[in-house]
Amino acid sequence: MGFASKRAVSVVFGLAVGFTAVVTPLEALSESVRISGSSTVAPITELAVKEFLVTRAGKKAKFEPIVINGTGAGFRDFCSGKTSISNASRPINNKELKACSEAKISFYELPIGFDALTVVVNSANTWAKDISLVELKRLWSRDAQGKVERWNQVNLDWPAKPINLFGPGKDSGTFEYFNKAITGDSENSRSDYGSSENDNIIAKNIIADPNAMGYFGFSYFKANQSKLRALAIEGPRGNVIPSMKNVQNESYQPLSRPMFIYVNSRQLGSDANLRNFVNFFLNNADGLVRKEGSIPLSRSQYLIVENKLLRNVLGSSFAGDIPVGTRLGELLNRSIDGIKRPDFRN
């Protein structure tokens, strides 16, 4: 079992949303749970749904197919009331916070794991083993569009072969986080590359092209590592490859990031299916994240997530910010700081 017993999390939910003594209406039991958002987080949530449906609590539950449309599009669905859960590979931003507030949608922001945003090349590439932050900016910034088109324009030691780029689209949290980390601006990116909101498509394009480079979530690299190679990133601690160890010891910077699910708090209190599912997800988060191939939180960090529900901490702990380069433990501790900082709530 994950970071806490089922009884403990059930008690947490009871305190948080006040439903322990409430009989759930029959219509709530038959309501389908709707989820959309990040392609990075979706495989974890899909696995959670699959395993939940074979439990006693999940046998009668109904779920709409999870929509993979990117973190930004997922928040548009969530803040308009179309979904109960939003998968997110970055925190909710100011525009989205305002949309949720105007729609009177309150929510729990629940970190479920970490991701190492991974820069990859085709396995046939014999020259690129690592890349610096300066070189990434030289290649991916808006100023590079139509100008930096060969490998030797990024690094003089690399061949004068064409460099073919693939990556996520503008609705992706991965797109925003990568640009903020590399160029300092979540929207500062060249657009002359093959884009998709589906990381599997990005991976397939790079696998098919020896001159390709791209970036996406760590689990997609792990699933294709026989055909792709991850580049070490020259960061504050030298050249560091993406790995569970290097994310957890905070040496893989600045491309380590937390992953979230956002849960509609009113629906959590009224919908037994949703409540039971989130209960199951959090109880088993460590195992689900490991099984999917991403990086789990530590036990103490999962306890912080549990405390968010125990103390009924609604809204975002990040004030609309993408916290690039912040220590991962500090990011999660900020969740509890929200109790003392009401300006971070919605």
Side-chain angles (χ1 to χ4, degrees):
M1 188 174 292
F3 64 86
S5 70
K6 290 185 178 180
R7 179 179 177 181
V9 176
S10 295
V11 171
V12 168
F13 281 2
L15 290 170
V17 297
F19 59 76
T20 50
V22 176
V23 177
T24 304
L26 290 176
E27 58 266 28
L29 294 174
S30 61
E31 197 169 304
S32 293
V33 176
R34 298 180 300 277
I35 305 169
S36 70
S38 167
S39 62
T40 305
V41 182
I44 303 170
T45 309
E46 288 171 339
L47 183 60
V49 170
K50 180 181 178 181
E51 296 195 4
F52 173 66
L53 288 174
V54 300
T55 67
R56 182 176 180 181
K59 284 183 178 178
K60 294 184 179 180
K62 297 180 181 178
F63 289 81
E64 297 291 331
I66 294 175
V67 176
I68 299 175
N69 54 357
T71 297
F75 277 130
R76 287 196 292 274
D77 290 343
F78 185 74
C79 294
S80 63
K82 294 180 181 178
T83 55
S84 305
I85 295 176
S86 193
N87 294 323
S89 60
R90 59 154 173 82
I92 191 169
N93 66 30
N94 283 321
K95 182 179 179 181
E96 293 152 355
L97 278 170
K98 182 179 179 182
C100 275
S101 178
E102 290 176 348
K104 300 187 184 308
I105 291 174
S106 60
F107 56 81
Y108 293 101
E109 177 184 70
L110 304 175
I112 58 163
F114 293 128
D115 181 35
L117 207 160
T118 305
V119 179
V120 301
V121 295
N122 186 286
S123 59
N125 181 312
T126 59
W127 55 90
K129 302 295 192 301
D130 53 69
I131 192 165
S132 71
L133 299 178
V134 171
E135 289 166 343
L136 283 170
K137 183 176 181 179
R138 183 181 301 148
L139 176 60
W140 281 98
S141 70
R142 189 181 295 116
D143 291 341
Q145 183 160 328
K147 299 175 184 176
V148 181
E149 298 179 328
R150 295 185 176 277
W151 285 91
N152 65 340
Q153 292 177 283
V154 181
N155 184 316
L156 291 175
D157 291 330
W158 293 343
K161 294 183 177 182
I163 186 167
N164 302 320
L165 300 175
F166 299 92
K170 291 183 178 181
D171 263 338
S172 169
T174 302
F175 171 90
E176 294 179 82
Y177 197 96
F178 180 84
N179 293 325
K180 180 73 180 292
I182 299 304
T183 69
D185 181 343
S186 61
E187 297 182 0
N188 181 2
S189 171
R190 65 191 302 163
S191 60
D192 56 341
Y193 67 94
S195 67
S196 174
E197 305 301 339
N198 189 325
D199 289 353
N200 283 311
I201 293 175
I202 300 171
K204 287 179 181 179
N205 282 322
I206 300 171
I207 289 168
D209 186 348
N211 289 318
M213 175 194 284
Y215 65 93
F216 43 56
F218 181 64
S219 65
Y220 287 90
F221 162 67
K222 285 187 68 177
N224 296 282
Q225 58 187 319
S226 63
K227 301 174 183 177
L228 298 173
R229 187 172 70 256
L231 300 187
I233 302 299
E234 184 184 325
R237 299 193 188 181
N239 291 340
V240 181
I241 61 169
S243 70
M244 180 181 296
K245 177 182 177 181
N246 290 338
V247 169
Q248 291 180 330
N249 68 22
E250 301 183 333
S251 63
Y252 187 70
Q253 291 287 3
L255 295 180
S256 295
R257 58 177 179 167
M259 299 181 293
F260 306 87
I261 58 170
Y262 286 73
V263 183
N264 183 302
S265 64
R266 183 172 62 181
Q267 292 181 28
L268 185 69
S270 65
D271 187 331
N273 286 335
L274 179 63
R275 184 162 68 245
N276 290 335
F277 172 65
V278 174
N279 187 357
F280 175 85
F281 199 154
L282 293 183
N283 271 302
N284 297 278
D286 181 280
L288 291 166
V289 170
R290 289 178 187 273
K291 188 173 181 179
E292 184 272 339
S294 293
I295 300 159
L297 312 183
S298 68
R299 177 176 174 79
S300 62
Q301 290 167 339
Y302 278 123
L303 287 172
I304 292 174
V305 179
E306 177 185 347
N307 269 314
K308 293 194 73 171
L309 292 170
L310 176 64
R311 301 186 187 189
N312 197 27
V313 182
L314 296 173
S316 178
S317 300
F318 299 94
D321 181 41
I322 298 177
V324 171
T326 307
R327 291 172 63 87
L328 301 180
E330 182 183 334
L331 293 178
L332 289 170
N333 284 328
R334 197 185 295 182
S335 297
I336 295 302
D337 289 343
I339 299 168
K340 302 176 182 178
R341 300 168 71 177
D343 54 311
F344 279 3
R345 301 186 194 179
N346 67 331

